[in-house]
Amino acid sequence: TDKTTGHDEL
Amino acid sequence: MNIFRLAGDLSHLAAIIILLLKIWKTRSCAGISGKSQILFALVFTTRYLDLLTSFISLYNTFMKVVYIGCAYATVYLIYMKFKATYDGNHDTFRVEFLVVPVGGLAFLVNHDFSPLEILWTFSIYLESVAILPQLFLISKTGEAETITTHYLFCLGVYRALYLFNWIWRFYFEGFFDMIAIVAGVVQTILYCDFFYLYVTKVLKGKKLSLPA
């Protein structure tokens, strides 16, 4: 997964 | 988004709002660890910096803003508005013993050695132990108000539901984030003792008090 696109979980 | 994730987020939101309302309605933050609340504010601040760099969804942005806003509102109520009721004498956990090692670990074990990613990792590690000052305060005073236990229960349930969310995501999306999972397991384990007391005492209508 691309780690630079941010985390979708809160 | 799956049902565990949504229920976890809502449980987290419920916990935060229960705490805010408790302090607001009783005009008192007795029995609440201001240190834990500062740590949670720090957790949200360092984790949600991506609000400025990437947009994921309206839901995501809305929840992040609400979490951050509520965290700072709680800290404000404890240290400013209702400072006189703050239980500082019992809230003596040394937070540097959490923040410093967690900061070091975030530098050493992360997905990517970039400022934002290190801060995200820091927030994940810190969240897993941020409740310790609160649990320490309860162990010192030997009791907790029932509403405070509801807050802690919702907070613990949130992380437990996230574990199910990760199992779901692993099977159905192939998603797997080792850092979040390990920290989430640690965080959930810290609540186990409390869960036991909650079920055996609070749910039976008794006040949570620890044996002397």
Side-chain angles (χ1 to χ4, degrees), chain B:
Chain B
M1 179 67 82
N2 57 64
I3 188 68
F4 300 113
R5 161 76 199 284
L6 180 63
D9 287 348
L10 294 178
S11 178
H12 196 182
L13 186 64
I16 291 169
I17 290 176
I18 285 171
L19 183 63
L20 259 181
L21 281 181
K22 172 219 147 42
I23 297 174
W24 187 256
K25 294 275 182 193
T26 62
R27 322 297 287 173
S28 163
C29 56
I32 301 299
S33 166
K35 292 185 174 183
S36 274
Q37 295 310 313
I38 286 179
L39 292 182
F40 282 124
L42 186 61
V43 162
F44 291 138
T45 307
T46 50
R47 184 174 309 168
Y48 298 153
L49 286 174
D50 65 351
L51 274 172
L52 307 171
T53 61
S54 54
F55 177 79
I56 291 163
S57 67
L58 263 182
Y59 169 82
N60 191 279
T61 301
F62 175 77
M63 294 297 261
K64 283 175 176 172
V65 170
V66 170
Y67 285 177
I68 293 180
C70 287
Y72 281 98
T74 305
V75 169
Y76 165 76
L77 291 184
I78 294 173
Y79 285 98
M80 311 278 277
K81 195 162 177 65
F82 302 124
K83 193 181 195 316
T85 63
Y86 170 53
D87 212 356
N89 288 334
H90 288 118
D91 193 14
T92 51
F93 192 95
R94 301 279 297 272
V95 290
E96 61 270 34
F97 291 157
L98 297 180
V99 174
V100 173
V102 156
L105 192 63
F107 264 94
L108 294 173
V109 185
N110 51 55
H111 290 308
D112 180 30
F113 200 77
S114 65
L116 227 64
E117 191 61 27
I118 290 170
L119 285 170
W120 177 85
T121 312
F122 171 78
S123 83
I124 293 288
Y125 294 151
L126 185 61
E127 187 191 345
S128 70
V129 292
I131 201 60
L132 286 178
Q134 179 65 56
L135 297 177
F136 182 72
L137 190 155
I138 291 174
S139 75
K140 268 198 119 178
T141 60
E143 59 177 26
E145 285 176 57
T146 300
I147 187 75
T148 306
T149 66
H150 295 329
Y151 161 72
L152 282 169
F153 180 73
C154 287
L155 210 54
V157 163
Y158 139 66
R159 233 13 177 183
L161 284 167
Y162 256 69
L163 295 184
F164 291 108
N165 158 54
W166 290 322
I167 293 169
W168 178 282
R169 292 191 71 175
F170 177 72
Y171 279 107
F172 295 103
E173 299 168 27
F175 173 89
F176 183 76
D177 186 333
M178 197 53 155
I179 287 176
I181 291 170
V182 171
V185 168
V186 169
Q187 189 171 344
T188 308
I189 288 172
L190 290 182
Y191 285 88
C192 283
D193 185 43
F194 168 78
F195 281 150
Y196 174 78
L197 290 172
Y198 187 81
V199 170
T200 56
K201 291 201 170 180
V202 181
L203 290 185
K204 290 180 180 157
K206 287 184 251 173
K207 191 180 163 82
L208 190 143
S209 57
L210 304 174

